[in-house]
């Protein structure tokens, strides 16, 4: 729906290449996510809502 219809996959990253993180570990509700690469660099991703499905996925996979 909406923007999702226009979304395109531009790359798929394996867990060995990068991980998805909630930078606050779920302590605060935030719209920010990080894609952290093996070399320590990261890419910030802003979601449209706090505690989005991406946040919940990241928190499940870190606990």
């Amino acid at each position: 729906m909406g923007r999702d219809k226009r979304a395109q996959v531009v790359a798929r990253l394996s867990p060995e290449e990068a991980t998805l993180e909630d930078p606050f570990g779920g302590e605060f509700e935030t719209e920010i996510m990080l894609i952290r690469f093996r070399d320590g660099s990261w890419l910030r991703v802003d979601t449209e809502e706090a505690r989005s499905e991406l946040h919940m996925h990241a928190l499940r996979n870190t606990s």
Side-chain angles (χ1 to χ4, degrees):
M1 298 180 75
R3 288 188 219 183
D4 291 344
K5 282 197 258 183
R6 296 190 311 255
Q8 291 182 323
V9 174
V10 294
R12 293 187 190 274
L13 302 171
S14 71
E16 292 78 33
E17 295 175 289
T19 56
L20 181 65
E21 297 179 5
D22 178 334
F24 301 107
E27 188 173 340
F28 303 102
E29 287 193 23
T30 179
E31 291 87 14
I32 300 169
M33 297 292 302
L34 298 178
I35 298 173
R36 187 171 304 278
F37 298 93
R38 289 181 66 193
D39 66 0
S41 63
W42 49 268
L43 178 66
R44 177 179 163 160
V45 177
D46 292 334
T47 61
E48 291 185 345
E49 59 187 54
R51 296 285 166 105
S52 68
E53 289 181 40
L54 286 175
H55 286 87
M56 302 320 291
H57 174 78
L59 292 173
R60 278 192 304 272
N61 289 327
T62 58
S63 48

